[in-house]
Structures are given as structure tokens and as C-alpha cells.
Amino acid sequence: MTRSLNELRPVYVVGIGWHRYQNPSETPYVELGLTAIRAALADARIEWPAVESTYVATALLGMASGRPMLRHLGATGAPLMHVENASASGSTAFRHACIEVASGISDVALAIGVDKRNPVRRPDTGIGNLAEDAIVPFTHFALLTNEYAVRHNASTEDIARVAVKNHRNGAKNPNAQRQQERTLDEVLGGKKVSGSLTSLQCTPIGEGAAAVIVASEDGIRRLGIDAGRAIRTTASVGRSERVYPPGAGFDAALTKETADLALAQAKLTPKDLDIIELHDAFTVEELHYIESIGLCPEGHGVRMLKDGALDIGGQCAINPSGGLIAMGHPIGPTGIGQIGEIVMQLRGEAGPRQHGGARIGLAHMVGVGAVCYVHILQR
């Protein structure tokens, strides 16, 4: 018999921390990761030996990269797991830290994501490909942008407004890689990438780190953690791709399946959501995914965007962190940084980008279109 997270004991996020996402630099990844971990420990007001297990999310660093990083904090003998799941690496690490605590195996677990920009190495399967003319991601999403515009009578300028919104949010986020507001003319006039896509409509790949600490109620009491700042994780769902009908958008279809299960697990509807942090590596993705999550009918995303319903202070703030487009996408940390942003918002600690009265947030991440993770957090 299968069980979901909300059928196990409650699990809470009690500590969050970052090293700012930034352009590639000479900063060692160990320094990036330790900065985020120490910030999360300080936020939870606990010491390193209280952490009973650690999940390290990376995609570009190589084998067992967490070991030399954690040794700077002290060798405690606690379990250490490395997680690689493409863009969803951090989301996967967070899910398994939650499961470990919810199941009663540990009272306190750490999920840390850290990465630096390195060449992506694709595995050699040893089997010949059926086709050698695969389309690179930015051209795939440029074609989807055109297809969305035609199907829903929108303009490519309308879709580019996603980037204007997210750059505006990122300008208020000290952890974001891009911290500058951009006008629609600046977004449209940027460096051409593919089709109507310009560089300011695409996520930058840089470096950085994000960490969260999760704890059980027993752990919170035993360690004297401030329960008033603890944010409960009420749903955690991970899925992988299936074979979809011809013409179906597989990322969007996988997102719908995963989000529907997560909302059912938390006993919520899309209308209950105050905040969504989602995978907006390219502008059109944000529109596809808010529609797949059920925030509005298919094709209505542009209208909500233009009406300000997706702004901070609107009906549901989408990517108040700046999203992947402005916050950045260092890959390993990205899914964990989303959780940290939602926790900050639900605590009411997001400063100039605070979405007033936020009580429920959803985090969504896909990895190479093959996996999808959705988490829901509630105050």
C-alpha cells in the first residue's frame, strides 16, 4: 500500500540560506555551499551536529563533491547522499530529506544544492540514436513561443512580458543573479538567441548555492527551534514522463499530472495558491505551466499577465524571486532556492518583494522534460 507525505508525521522547513546566484567566478564551490549551509543553520539557530542526514544536489560538479565541502563543518558520521536529476536535482534532494524526516528515520535533515558552470556531459548509452537531428532547447522553446502565440492569438511581445515581470522581481532580490529591471523594449531588443527569443527571455546559467533544513515536531521541540517560523511541507510529488499523444506538450502534460496529485495530496485547489515558484527557463514556459497547474484555462495566461494578476500583490505571485530568468539557474541549487523563497514569503520576511498575506506556496521544477517535482508549503 502506497502512502503520501501528508499521511506521515508533519515535516517543517526550519532554516533557509543562500550564496547569491552569480556569473561564473573563481569562487570555489566549497565556499559557495558552506555559505548557504551556515546561513541555513543560523536561520534555524542550530549547530551543525544537530543535522542527522544531508542530501547534496549537484549536476555539474562530479563524483561525491559534497564530501570535501561538509568536512569543513566537522565529520559527524551522519549519512550523506548525492543527488543528480538535471534541473530538478535540488527539488529531488528536498523531497528525500522531507521523506526521511516524515518517516521518522531522522528528526533533522539538510538539503543543499551547489553548482558551478561546467560543460554538461551527456552519458554515452552505447546504443545508436534513432535521430541525430535533435533540436537544441532554446530553439525548441522558440518554436513553442510561436506556436503559443498563433494558437492563442497572442503576440510574441505579450509573451516577452513574462521576462519584464521576472526581471522586476529579481531586481528586489539580493540573492538573484540578475538584479536590474528591464523594459519591454530592452527585453525585445536584447541579443537574439533563437526565433523571437532574446537573451533576457532565457535563464542565465551561472553558479551559486541554496540550503534548507527540515525538521520534525520532535526535532523542533528538542532543539528549541522557533516553531512560529517553521513552515510545513504538506505535499511532495515526483513523477517521470510517459508516452503522450502526438502534438501534446510533454513538459506541460507532465506538469499537470504532477501538480494535480500534489494539490490533491494537500487537499487544495489552484485558487488557494498565493505564490508559485516555477521553472521559467524560457518565457513561454511560465505561461504553459500556470495553465497546466490550473491557475487559469489554457490560453488565458497572457491575459492574467497583462492584468497584473501574476504580479507580487496580484491574484497569485508567480516567481516573486525573479524565477529562473532573473534569479538564475545554477542547476543543482535551483529547486532548493525555490523552497527557500516560498518559506521567506510565508514567514512575511521577503522585504520589498513580499506578497502580502501569503499563506500557501507551490514549487514546481522539471528536469530535461523527463522528470517533474511539485511541493506545496503552508503557513
Side-chain angles (χ1 to χ4, degrees):
M1 178 179 178
T2 60
R3 304 179 72 180
S4 61
L5 189 75
N6 67 344
E7 295 175 293
L8 304 174
R9 65 175 183 167
V11 56
Y12 299 84
V13 180
V14 298
I16 56 177
W18 286 267
H19 185 290
R20 179 190 168 182
Y21 299 174
Q22 60 190 18
N23 294 325
S25 75
E26 297 300 318
T27 307
Y29 84 84
V30 169
E31 182 177 332
L32 300 175
L34 289 175
T35 300
I37 296 171
R38 286 171 172 145
L41 290 168
D43 184 60
R45 297 172 191 166
I46 62 174
E47 301 295 328
W48 169 241
V51 174
E52 298 170 28
S53 64
T54 297
Y55 292 81
V56 179
T58 68
L60 305 173
L61 291 180
M63 186 173 69
S65 50
R67 178 175 174 266
M69 181 173 67
L70 298 182
R71 289 172 71 181
H72 288 270
L73 296 166
T76 63
L80 166 62
M81 173 73 74
H82 291 84
V83 179
E84 188 277 299
N85 214 1
S87 293
S89 297
S91 309
T92 311
F94 175 71
R95 170 173 163 79
H96 286 277
C98 287
I99 290 171
E100 179 161 330
V101 169
S103 67
I105 294 173
S106 296
D107 276 331
V108 181
L110 166 71
I112 163 72
V114 59
D115 250 325
K116 289 182 72 72
R117 192 170 75 179
N118 287 308
V120 175
R121 295 186 295 274
R122 302 285 187 186
D124 182 357
T125 63
I127 299 173
N129 293 327
L130 294 175
E132 299 293 348
D133 56 349
I135 297 174
V136 293
F138 45 78
T139 297
H140 170 76
F141 287 103
L143 291 170
L144 281 182
T145 300
N146 293 346
E147 191 269 347
Y148 185 97
V150 170
R151 176 180 291 188
H152 301 301
N153 195 29
S155 67
T156 52
E157 288 78 7
D158 289 337
I159 298 169
R161 293 178 190 277
V162 169
V164 175
K165 171 180 68 66
N166 291 350
H167 281 281
R168 182 169 62 241
N169 293 348
K172 300 182 177 72
N173 185 352
N175 294 313
Q177 183 171 342
R178 290 169 163 169
Q179 298 182 21
Q180 184 177 353
E181 291 197 36
R182 298 289 188 172
T183 66
L184 183 59
D185 286 343
E186 288 176 315
V187 168
L188 294 171
K191 178 183 176 183
K192 298 292 184 185
V193 174
S194 184
S196 63
L197 282 182
T198 56
S199 60
L200 293 177
Q201 297 179 68
C202 307
T203 183
I205 303 297
E207 63 183 31
V212 299
I213 296 169
V214 296
S216 66
E217 291 177 345
D218 288 345
I220 290 172
R221 281 192 295 271
R222 176 166 54 82
L223 296 169
I225 295 171
D226 182 356
R229 299 178 71 241
I231 301 297
R232 185 174 175 183
T233 305
T234 54
S236 173
V237 177
R239 288 186 60 78
S240 62
E241 62 186 345
R242 296 186 296 111
V243 177
Y244 299 105
F250 54 87
D251 283 353
L254 180 56
T255 290
K256 176 172 174 48
E257 293 173 359
T258 313
D260 284 352
L261 288 170
L263 287 165
Q265 193 176 117
K267 298 180 173 57
L268 297 170
T269 72
K271 292 181 179 178
D272 296 317
L273 300 172
D274 299 307
I275 293 168
I276 300 176
E277 284 283 319
L278 56 70
H279 186 285
D280 62 329
F282 303 94
T283 42
V284 72
E285 285 190 275
E286 182 166 305
L287 299 172
H288 275 300
Y289 297 146
I290 64 167
E291 294 169 8
S292 299
I293 290 169
L295 205 63
C296 63
E298 183 179 345
H300 289 217
V302 165
R303 183 183 303 171
M304 291 189 74
L305 178 66
K306 295 172 75 172
D307 288 347
L310 309 182
D311 290 347
I312 295 170
Q315 175 186 324
C316 179
I318 307 298
N319 286 324
S321 69
L324 276 61
I325 286 176
M327 176 73 176
H329 185 27
I331 304 186
T334 308
I336 295 174
Q338 290 181 322
I339 300 297
E341 173 68 21
I342 290 173
V343 168
M344 189 181 291
Q345 291 279 349
L346 301 190
R347 287 176 178 172
E349 298 176 350
R353 66 181 189 286
Q354 179 66 47
H355 183 70
R359 299 189 64 81
I360 301 172
L362 180 149
H364 155 271
M365 183 62 69
V366 294
V368 294
V371 298
C372 182
Y373 283 76
V374 171
H375 291 93
I376 295 176
L377 295 100
Q378 293 183 244
R379 186 175 179 178

